[in-house]
Amino acid sequence: MTVVSTKPDRENLQLTVVAEFPAPIDKVWQVWEDPRKLEKWWGPPTWPATFPEFDFTEGGEAKYFMTGPEGDRAHGYWRFRTIERHRRIRLLDGFADEDGNPNEEMPNMVMTVTLEEEGGRTTMTTVTKFDSLQDLEQLLEMGMEEGIREAAGQIDALL
């Protein structure tokens, strides 16, 4: 399996996910950089994503929605804070309304993705930082840890 570990850290208000891929770093980078590839893995298999807006630049924004098995949609947005090509992405990740505007009633979080290559294999470490323990617990109860594991498990097929 692609995902090596998932670890909620309540003391530091974060969730860390480590995944390994038998592919060079540039191939793994593409699954973040290309919205059509993102659509094939972001979200669990039963909740595929669509990215109608995707500006992959520092200060840029992405808007997406995941469609559930019954046709219901969960909307989200990303605001890219740092993009270091083939190395690191840091973004604000949040829930959104149907128009892609932030849903202030739900938590947002800062996600940092780091890629490291060794011997033709790439390790992707994703650290999601929360504002409070309540926010972390809420997202864990909603199935975030399991959802990320299932989503990242789809990347191998793209590589």
Side-chain angles (χ1 to χ4, degrees):
M1 181 177 213
T2 301
V3 176
V4 176
S5 67
T6 59
K7 180 185 175 208
D9 179 349
R10 288 167 175 84
E11 184 176 324
N12 292 305
L13 306 177
Q14 61 191 34
L15 173 65
T16 301
V17 179
V18 179
E20 292 181 355
F21 305 100
I25 205 165
D26 61 316
K27 295 281 187 190
V28 179
W29 181 261
Q30 289 173 15
V31 305
W32 288 97
E33 182 178 54
D34 181 344
R36 303 299 73 91
K37 289 185 179 179
L38 262 168
E39 290 176 340
K40 292 181 176 16
W41 75 270
W42 185 254
T46 58
W47 283 80
T50 301
F51 283 81
E53 294 182 33
F54 191 78
D55 179 8
F56 190 66
T57 59
E58 288 187 6
E61 187 170 87
K63 293 182 181 181
Y64 68 92
F65 60 87
M66 297 183 292
T67 305
E70 305 298 320
D72 44 333
R73 290 183 173 179
H75 294 262
Y77 69 93
W78 292 344
R79 291 190 180 138
F80 297 102
R81 293 181 170 174
T82 305
I83 298 174
E84 296 173 26
R85 186 164 172 76
H86 293 171
R87 180 167 162 13
R88 188 169 78 106
I89 303 165
R90 186 168 178 261
L91 57 90
L92 178 67
D93 180 14
F95 292 85
D97 64 20
E98 291 180 7
D99 296 321
N101 301 309
N103 178 345
E104 302 297 335
E105 296 176 13
M106 293 294 292
N108 59 34
M109 56 233 90
V110 175
M111 182 169 59
T112 304
V113 180
T114 306
L115 303 178
E116 297 176 312
E117 183 180 350
E118 186 174 324
R121 296 184 62 80
T122 301
T123 300
M124 179 176 81
T125 304
T126 305
V127 178
T128 304
K129 182 81 172 161
F130 298 84
D131 289 335
S132 69
L133 181 58
Q134 179 180 344
D135 290 353
L136 171 59
E137 293 295 351
Q138 179 180 358
L139 274 286
L140 289 174
E141 286 175 23
M142 290 173 63
M144 181 179 183
E145 184 176 3
E146 187 176 282
I148 288 175
R149 198 175 324 120
E150 290 178 3
Q154 301 174 104
I155 294 175
D156 278 325
L158 298 173
L159 300 174

